Amino acid sequence: EVQLVESGGGSVQPGGSLRLSCAASGFTFSNYGMNWVRQAPGKGLEWVSYIDSSSSTLYYTDSVKGRFTISRDNAKNSLYLQMNSLRAEDTAVYYCARSPRAATGTSFDYWGQGALVTVSS
Amino acid sequence: QSVLTQPPSVSAAPGQKVTISCSGSSSNIGNNYVSWYRQLPGTAPKLLIYDNNKRPSGIPDRFSGSRSGTSATLGITGLQTGDEADYYCGAWDSSLSALGFGGGTKLTVL
């Protein structure tokens, strides 16, 4: 069974940092691209970042470029999101999500349960 | 402001059919594949449709997807009360080099 479990969420002051982790199991992690998607309270989905299976291709949404860094450790079956210079508007539930190999386009076939990040003074 | 445009809400009676539209541009829907997700309150989204019209294993054929030009449509037949949820479309945007989602559509089964 595919499982994605996020951790590392919490409360932080504006300008602070947090590192989210996503532990993957039930599939060959090193074969899949992975993503972070967030959802602000009461709002819609917002894609944040993508990393391919070998960490050679990275994408970010404009609002986090230069502040967030996506990475992965295939030996540990783990995905990470280092978030620096956090702002109030980064407050959201952060989901890690897998990109399916069967798809030609970009989609997300498995999602974690989410980790809440709250940025407030 | 979302890259893709969805109606905020739709409604239909149990057993009926409903369609949810998703409008974009040539840089996203017009030249890239569309996916659809359902999100029940307090839970993570679930993939319903990928590559415009393909269903993942386990998704019933009550759910269908189509794309025409710069718009896409999700169709749900045989509506059930359990289908009440928020529905999102998504597509890669080649101009932004980013994935865009629609703002979401709340489905009410009356």
Side-chain angles (χ1 to χ4, degrees):
Chain A
E1 178 192 6
V2 171
Q3 284 197 323
L4 298 170
V5 180
E6 299 94 340
S7 60
S11 295
V12 62
Q13 292 187 336
S17 298
L18 273 179
R19 188 195 196 204
L20 299 181
S21 299
C22 173
S25 61
F27 65 103
T28 304
F29 181 71
S30 59
N31 287 348
Y32 289 82
M34 297 295 296
N35 304 264
W36 289 99
V37 178
R38 67 185 179 183
Q39 187 169 34
K43 303 297 185 182
L45 300 174
E46 180 185 23
W47 171 83
V48 174
S49 185
Y50 164 83
I51 185 169
D52 74 349
S53 58
S54 61
S55 304
S56 59
T57 299
L58 311 178
Y59 291 112
Y60 298 92
T61 191
D62 281 348
S63 63
V64 308
K65 284 179 182 176
R67 300 188 300 123
F68 290 13
T69 302
I70 191 171
S71 63
R72 64 190 295 160
D73 186 334
N74 287 341
K76 294 183 178 180
N77 293 334
S78 294
L79 174 73
Y80 306 102
L81 186 67
Q82 177 66 44
M83 303 184 292
N84 299 329
S85 303
L86 282 161
R87 307 167 179 167
E89 54 264 36
D90 296 318
T91 295
V93 173
Y94 285 73
Y95 297 101
C96 71
R98 190 181 82 167
S99 290
R101 295 183 68 189
T104 302
T106 305
S107 57
F108 316 108
D109 62 350
Y110 285 93
W111 299 63
Q113 85 288 351
L116 177 62
V117 172
T118 303
V119 184
S120 174
S121 55
Chain B
Q1 191 166 350
S2 301
V3 173
L4 308 179
T5 301
Q6 297 179 236
S9 63
V10 295
S11 62
Q16 297 301 304
K17 175 181 179 178
V18 71
T19 59
I20 298 173
S21 62
C22 177
S23 178
S25 67
S26 59
S27 64
N28 42 65
I29 293 177
N31 285 285
N32 292 293
Y33 290 95
V34 179
S35 55
W36 289 92
Y37 306 85
R38 174 167 80 176
Q39 187 177 33
L40 298 170
T43 68
K46 180 177 184 177
L47 179 65
L48 297 175
I49 298 289
Y50 68 96
D51 288 358
N52 298 334
N53 55 19
K54 297 178 182 177
R55 283 178 287 106
S57 174
I59 300 300
D61 59 8
R62 299 192 300 113
F63 296 90
S64 63
S66 64
R67 182 187 70 171
S68 178
T70 59
S71 293
T73 301
L74 174 70
I76 311 173
T77 60
L79 277 172
Q80 304 168 3
T81 55
D83 291 326
E84 286 201 335
D86 293 323
Y87 291 80
Y88 295 90
C89 59
W92 186 257
D93 191 295
S94 301
S95 295
L96 301 175
S97 291
L99 189 286
F101 282 108
T105 299
K106 183 175 182 61
L107 168 63
T108 300
V109 180
L110 302 169

